[in-house]
Amino acid sequence: MADKRDYYEVLGIDKGANEDQIKKAYRKMAKQYHPDINKDNPQAEEKFKEVNEAYEILSDPQKKQAYDQFGHAGVDPNAGFGGGGAGGFGGFDMGDIFESFFGGSGFGGFGGGTRRNGPRKGGDIHQSIELTFTEAAFGVTKEIVILRVEDCESCQGTGAKSGTSPETCPNCKGSGQVKTTQRTPLGNFVSTSPCSACRGEGKIIKDPCTVCNGQGKVKRRRTISVKIPAGIDNGQTVSMRGEGDMGYKGGPSGDLLITVRIKRHDLFTRDGYNVHCEVPITFVQATLGCDIEVPTIDGKIRYHIPEGTQTDTVFRLKNKGIPSLRGGARGDQLVKVVVEIPKNLSQKQKELLMEFDKETGGSYKRSKTFFEKLKDFLDIDK
């Protein structure tokens, strides 16, 4: 008994711990050292057994009382104290306990997790495609080349050389799993693990296919036609069901996921389903008004700029934007006009502008209002 650790120390609790604290500590430690999630840690199984033993004693009021009074000897059936040990618990499957801990799946042998030799879905294939601004706006059909996992044609996906077949594994009888029973103080501990003889497949290939090296799958280059819907935006993904890697053991194929990248446009930028565009106009055009050519994603149109238009004024062209992915309405095009100020004027041009400024001095309403407010401001400060 001298080599056994104190049960309270094993669970990381104080001697005065109540039933709920003992149960909570046990659940935490059992999860931490469970063999199915510590396959690379050979010490985990021993710690797991130690945790189970500690809980079996401390969760029973009578055994806990005997342990608190006499230590390990108080619960050793061979020591004459009548502690009972594991004798009253033999024969149950620990799967019932761990089903409540782990939700009934994901831990082989406790919740019946997915068996490797059962049907499995194929992997998804992720691909990207680059589109022009107008291709994304109006939709387009593109062809892309992918590498896809498919059944080997030589062996029809069996992995066995043509004319032969995989044989049922004699070790696991085709189940792909083997059960191991270990006796613990809490009873018989039953664990399930992949069969080492067939590596969980349930079949053994004695004469493997030379084309796929017994894998039953090969990668093939395929050209896929992809229909890109009108209105798709940068970074969005088109999903093609069943065009991914082929499934295993009759499982469904994965999906082909195509992420869209849109090239920059020289004239247009996008905001949702609206298109933005800047058009430069001259000082005279802005002052007198004019008809200008405005580019849209549908082509050029004529648009009238009214007299006295200020720089950065935005005009809205209804239904000249991006079509909605859901169909129906389109966004708008927002045209911002920018008044361009001429540079490098000749002396004559400067004189003409100065004469023009004198003649139009009362026409600048914003400037007039500003200077009137400035005068009032200065008068107030006096």
Side-chain angles (χ1 to χ4, degrees):
M1 296 297 167
D3 59 341
K4 279 195 175 185
R5 292 173 64 201
D6 180 77
Y7 288 146
Y8 291 99
E9 180 186 343
V10 170
L11 296 181
I13 55 177
D14 296 328
K15 276 197 172 184
N18 59 32
E19 183 180 348
D20 288 339
Q21 291 172 326
I22 293 171
K23 184 180 293 185
K24 185 177 180 181
Y26 169 63
R27 287 174 178 250
K28 178 182 177 182
M29 302 297 284
K31 287 182 182 180
Q32 180 178 348
Y33 294 116
H34 191 280
D36 278 359
I37 56 175
N38 291 276
K39 294 181 178 179
D40 296 330
N41 183 1
Q43 297 179 345
E45 186 173 344
E46 291 302 318
K47 288 186 176 293
F48 183 71
K49 292 178 183 178
E50 188 179 39
V51 167
N52 279 321
E53 181 179 337
Y55 180 69
E56 189 269 329
I57 299 300
L58 298 182
S59 63
D60 185 308
Q62 292 182 348
K63 294 178 182 178
K64 181 176 182 296
Q65 183 179 2
Y67 177 73
D68 289 343
Q69 186 174 359
F70 301 107
H72 291 291
V75 292
D76 182 3
N78 299 317
F81 288 91
F89 294 89
F92 66 86
D93 193 330
M94 285 290 289
D96 294 337
I97 293 178
F98 282 90
E99 185 172 358
S100 65
F101 288 172
F102 304 119
S105 63
F107 295 88
F110 291 99
T114 303
R115 292 168 57 176
R116 180 172 176 178
N117 66 335
R120 302 198 305 277
K121 183 181 177 181
D124 294 336
I125 298 176
H126 296 266
Q127 194 87 352
S128 62
I129 188 171
E130 190 173 60
L131 304 178
T132 66
F133 193 91
T134 52
E135 284 176 338
F138 295 114
V140 67
T141 298
K142 291 275 191 177
E143 289 190 342
I144 62 173
V145 178
I146 63 172
L147 282 175
R148 182 167 65 191
V149 174
E150 299 180 0
D151 282 345
C152 173
E153 293 180 353
S154 177
C155 65
Q156 303 300 310
T158 65
K161 189 176 181 180
S162 180
T164 67
S165 300
E167 299 178 3
T168 300
C169 175
N171 189 48
C172 64
K173 304 298 188 292
S175 69
Q177 296 176 319
V178 291
K179 283 189 175 183
T180 304
T181 303
Q182 294 176 315
R183 295 186 60 82
T184 73
L186 197 57
N188 291 334
F189 172 60
V190 182
S191 63
T192 306
S193 59
C195 174
S196 60
C198 63
R199 286 184 274 185
E201 294 292 342
K203 301 283 185 180
I204 292 178
I205 300 173
K206 291 187 175 181
D207 197 0
C209 172
T210 56
V211 175
C212 64
N213 296 320
Q215 299 300 310
K217 301 287 184 183
V218 293
K219 278 198 172 185
R220 290 197 179 90
R221 189 178 297 271
R222 296 294 187 189
T223 300
I224 305 294
S225 182
V226 182
K227 186 176 181 180
I228 306 296
I232 197 164
D233 205 351
N234 190 63
Q236 291 183 324
T237 299
V238 176
S239 177
M240 298 185 69
R241 296 285 184 186
E243 291 291 351
D245 291 336
M246 191 171 288
Y248 295 83
K249 308 290 184 181
S253 294
D255 302 329
L256 174 59
L257 306 172
I258 306 106
T259 301
V260 170
R261 306 294 178 203
I262 301 176
K263 296 179 184 177
R264 280 181 171 273
H265 197 280
D266 292 335
L267 299 176
F268 305 124
T269 57
R270 178 173 173 171
D271 179 17
Y273 291 116
N274 291 332
V275 173
H276 292 259
C277 177
E278 282 191 4
V279 177
I281 58 174
T282 68
F283 170 76
V284 175
Q285 287 175 316
T287 303
L288 302 180
C290 64
D291 288 333
I292 62 172
E293 279 192 341
V294 176
T296 73
I297 59 176
D298 297 298
K300 293 180 181 179
I301 64 168
R302 298 287 294 178
Y303 189 81
H304 180 71
I305 301 296
E307 178 181 331
T309 294
Q310 303 299 309
T311 190
D312 293 340
T313 299
V314 177
F315 299 97
R316 183 179 293 270
L317 306 181
K318 298 290 289 183
N319 298 319
K320 288 295 183 182
I322 306 293
S324 170
L325 269 173
R326 303 179 187 87
R330 290 177 59 173
D332 302 329
Q333 178 166 324
L334 304 175
V335 181
K336 182 167 76 172
V337 293
V338 180
V339 178
E340 187 174 7
I341 305 301
K343 295 180 179 180
N344 303 319
L345 298 179
S346 67
Q347 186 60 37
K348 183 178 179 180
Q349 289 169 331
K350 292 178 181 178
E351 291 172 357
L352 288 172
L353 277 177
M354 292 177 68
E355 185 65 28
F356 173 79
D357 189 52
K358 289 179 183 179
E359 293 293 329
T360 58
S363 300
Y364 297 102
K365 292 183 179 180
R366 184 177 294 181
S367 296
K368 184 178 180 181
T369 302
F370 172 78
F371 284 112
E372 286 175 350
K373 291 180 180 178
L374 179 62
K375 182 176 181 299
D376 292 340
F377 173 76
L378 295 174
D379 288 341
I380 291 172
D381 283 356
K382 286 181 179 180

